Amino acid sequence: MAGTGTLHPPLFVALATYASWMVLFLFGHLRDFYRKKIYGGRSAKKEKEGYAPIRQDYEDFYTRRMYYRIHDSFNRPICSAPDAWIDVMERTPVDGQKPLLLTGNTQRCLNLGSYNYLGFAAQDEYCTPRVEEVLDTVGWAGCSARADAGTTPRHEELERLIAEFLGKEAAITCGMGFATNSAFIPLLAGKGTLIVSDALNHSSIVAGVRGSGAKVKVFDHNEPAHLEAVLRAAIAEGQPRTGRPWKKIIIIVEGIYSMEGEMARLKEIVAIKKKYKCYLYLDEAHSIGALGDGGRGVCEQLGVDTRDVDIMMGTFTKSFGSCGGYIASDKGLIDYLRNHSPAHLYAAAMAPPAVEMVISALHVIQGRDGTSRGRDKIRQLRDNSNYFRRRLLEMGYDVLGDWDSPVMPVMIFNPAKLPAVSRYALSRGLAIVVVGFPATPLLTARMRVCISASHSRADLDYALEVFEELSDRCHLKYSEEPNKHALRNGKASHLITA
């Protein structure tokens, strides 16, 4: 399945972007110099005598001199369920480094920022009554770790359903999606282990890998050929200093990369994993529920047997409208994680209503509610995603990712355009997420669109109308000719047309 878009800006755009950063950097340092010369004596008195500064100026230079200029474009609070439309709480305009205060007013906006892929995060005719019933009978939270008094029959039922859904022997859940990676990966790897990680893996994976103490090698993003080259060299060299063979090798990839919208080239990676006798860890935070005819994720989407993936990780915060995450694998490994993971032994268990939400969503996805709503939602998500992607490409936008992916990063490149895009979209009733450095490399600022099954065609057409205005106002048509070529060659021939 062919992807679209590129991370590489045209030459003039790249030069203009570097120039923008240079101006921001120089003026930021000039302001710092002025502050030290004029206010240095006054600020120095505030420091505790004999103490080193707890924070050096250079450590938050970006925050003070760049982020605060546009911080109204981030962290916008909402006061409604993250459905197709949301209520965004209005705040006071930017005034230096002063906090933005709520005005008490709200604005109704089309929601293109939430991960509510299947629409379960709002009121649902099947899920909501069951969640309310559990809330009435069991309460908000167990106030205990799973290993103590935090396990209920619903927790055990959820783990059974997840394992069955993915074709695995067993599963274990965690109360936080990020912690599912950061807390469990250190138990899978240690000294003498080699982890081969995709260059664009999520920060939760990075945190888990760093905490493991294992040796890490990085391969080029979604490039199986480079993965094989890295593996071959690492196996030939062995462990550092001793040259001994690695105790084990683990490859870590994602199903859908959240900032690129691309699916892992899983068939090729599985073939390499088998060839070199490695373990494969697959993070399906964004793909589980959203891909495949039955919502079983990237394995179903790409025709890969889940038995060929040793460890399957996912979260409940996207397609299932809840919180937490899971690891699914062989029973022996899951039992080991139960006995040793701090996330299971010490952290609070998932709240029972949140557990029930996932169980109910799984019932709908699998048709256990007696309807075809689950299949319809998955089909609607795919149709919405492909329709929106095709229309953006026709406008000339540089849109990253694969067809069928509900995650669509749209390249902006220039940092000056981030606030312009965000503020204009909000003024037109469109809630989108913009992302720039340091969350992305310097040249690759972008906005990220997340499509939902709850969006109607009228919703999407309204958003496209605003995007058409944005492309003219902010000069965002970077890929008109490449997009025409891609569409003309039939790479979008399977898409739903208007």
Side-chain angles (χ1 to χ4, degrees):
M1 188 172 291
T4 61
T6 176
L7 282 168
H8 306 293
L11 178 60
F12 175 78
V13 175
L15 293 175
T17 301
Y18 278 127
S20 295
W21 280 114
M22 188 178 299
V23 169
L24 288 168
F25 184 80
L26 290 175
F27 272 87
H29 277 288
L30 283 173
R31 293 187 68 183
D32 273 4
F33 177 79
Y34 176 80
R35 185 186 67 168
K36 288 177 182 178
K37 289 297 182 182
I38 303 300
Y39 299 104
R42 234 179 291 171
S43 61
K45 292 176 183 177
K46 296 179 182 178
E47 297 291 346
K48 293 183 178 180
E49 187 175 351
Y51 284 80
I54 196 168
R55 173 189 53 77
Q56 300 290 345
D57 285 348
Y58 62 81
E59 291 176 339
D60 66 346
F61 175 81
Y62 173 84
T63 302
R64 288 183 293 103
R65 297 306 180 200
M66 299 180 190
Y67 171 77
Y68 273 119
R69 291 173 176 268
I70 60 171
H71 67 137
D72 62 316
S73 300
F74 307 100
N75 307 315
R76 290 188 178 125
I78 69 171
C79 56
S80 65
D83 206 352
W85 290 80
I86 55 175
D87 294 324
V88 178
M89 304 174 74
E90 294 182 358
R91 297 180 291 179
T92 53
V94 172
D95 183 11
Q97 297 183 20
K98 294 180 181 178
L100 303 177
L101 304 177
L102 296 175
T103 65
N105 300 322
T106 62
Q107 181 178 355
R108 194 71 172 163
C109 294
L110 179 61
N111 181 13
L112 294 181
S114 298
Y115 306 131
N116 185 25
Y117 297 139
L118 296 181
F120 284 120
Q123 194 84 4
D124 183 83
E125 62 189 68
Y126 181 85
C127 302
T128 303
R130 285 159 176 76
V131 172
E132 291 174 343
E133 181 181 352
V134 169
L135 178 61
D136 291 338
T137 56
V138 184
W140 284 105
C143 297
S144 180
R146 286 289 306 277
D148 296 329
T151 297
T152 69
R154 303 313 285 161
H155 288 87
E156 294 174 340
E157 173 67 5
L158 173 58
E159 291 173 345
R160 186 190 67 79
L161 282 174
I162 284 292
E164 179 185 287
F165 187 61
L166 297 173
K168 289 295 185 182
E169 291 181 2
I172 183 173
T173 58
C174 178
M176 179 183 177
F178 189 100
T180 308
N181 278 328
S182 63
F184 285 114
I185 289 177
L187 293 173
L188 301 172
K191 190 175 180 181
T193 299
L194 173 66
I195 292 179
V196 186
S197 182
D198 187 284
L200 296 183
N201 273 340
H202 192 264
S203 61
S204 60
I205 294 175
V206 174
V209 169
R210 284 176 176 169
S212 70
K215 177 67 176 176
V216 186
K217 290 187 179 292
V218 176
F219 68 95
D220 293 342
H221 172 57
N222 221 8
E223 287 293 341
H226 189 242
L227 166 62
E228 184 170 14
V230 169
L231 279 172
R232 189 185 300 115
I235 292 171
E237 294 169 3
Q239 296 186 43
R241 293 188 297 275
T242 65
R244 292 176 181 171
W246 300 100
K247 293 179 180 178
K248 58 186 170 186
I249 301 175
I250 303 174
I251 302 168
I252 303 182
V253 297
E254 296 185 38
I256 290 179
Y257 291 87
S258 60
M259 292 307 300
E260 288 70 37
E262 295 175 326
M263 300 177 206
R265 295 166 63 179
L266 200 56
K267 280 191 173 181
E268 297 163 84
I269 291 171
V270 165
I272 293 169
K273 162 264 208 263
K274 289 181 176 179
K275 179 178 179 181
Y276 293 94
K277 304 297 186 292
C278 305
Y279 293 103
L280 178 59
Y281 183 107
L282 175 64
D283 178 339
E284 289 219 77
H286 287 267
S287 53
I288 189 67
L291 294 180
D293 291 339
R296 288 177 171 81
V298 72
C299 289
E300 183 179 36
Q301 176 80 12
L302 301 179
V304 173
D305 193 330
T306 56
R307 289 176 294 185
D308 291 331
V309 180
D310 303 284
I311 303 146
M312 302 186 74
M313 175 271 177
T315 65
F316 304 130
T317 53
K318 282 82 177 176
S319 296
F320 301 99
S322 187
C323 64
Y326 66 84
I327 297 284
S329 187
D330 300 335
K331 187 177 184 303
L333 177 60
I334 298 302
D335 289 342
Y336 167 76
L337 296 178
R338 286 191 203 283
N339 293 327
H340 294 86
S341 172
H344 186 82
L345 297 173
Y346 308 117
M350 282 180 67
V355 172
E356 183 59 37
M357 180 64 225
V358 183
I359 292 173
S360 300
L362 278 168
H363 286 170
V364 175
I365 290 171
Q366 295 179 284
R368 297 186 182 188
D369 63 333
T371 72
S372 63
R373 284 202 310 127
R375 292 262 177 179
D376 294 342
K377 281 176 175 286
I378 295 167
R379 189 182 306 110
Q380 183 68 36
L381 176 62
R382 181 175 62 247
D383 292 348
N384 283 352
S385 300
N386 289 335
Y387 172 73
F388 203 80
R389 182 181 295 274
R390 178 173 62 83
R391 290 290 304 276
L392 289 179
L393 291 173
E394 289 173 348
M395 290 181 195
Y397 276 100
D398 185 352
V399 187
L400 302 184
D402 286 310
W403 300 110
D404 294 349
S405 170
V407 183
M408 292 176 214
V410 181
M411 300 309 297
I412 296 176
F413 297 119
N414 196 306
K417 294 183 180 181
L418 278 180
V421 167
S422 179
R423 289 165 183 166
Y424 182 76
L426 183 65
S427 73
R428 296 283 280 112
L430 205 62
I432 59 172
V433 172
V434 292
V435 188
F437 179 85
T440 67
L442 205 64
L443 280 181
T444 59
R446 66 198 74 175
M447 54 179 156
R448 182 174 63 182
V449 173
C450 292
I451 299 298
S452 171
S454 63
H455 289 136
S456 67
R457 187 56 58 90
D459 293 337
L460 299 180
D461 286 339
Y462 174 71
L464 290 164
E465 178 185 323
V466 177
F467 269 80
E468 186 69 61
E469 297 169 9
L470 272 172
S471 67
D472 294 330
R473 289 175 64 93
C474 300
H475 305 288
L476 298 175
K477 295 182 179 180
Y478 299 122
S479 301
E480 288 184 278
E481 288 306 315
N483 290 353
K484 289 177 183 178
H485 180 72
L487 292 166
R488 189 166 55 245
N489 284 347
K491 291 183 179 180
S493 60
H494 65 292
L495 300 183
I496 301 297
T497 55

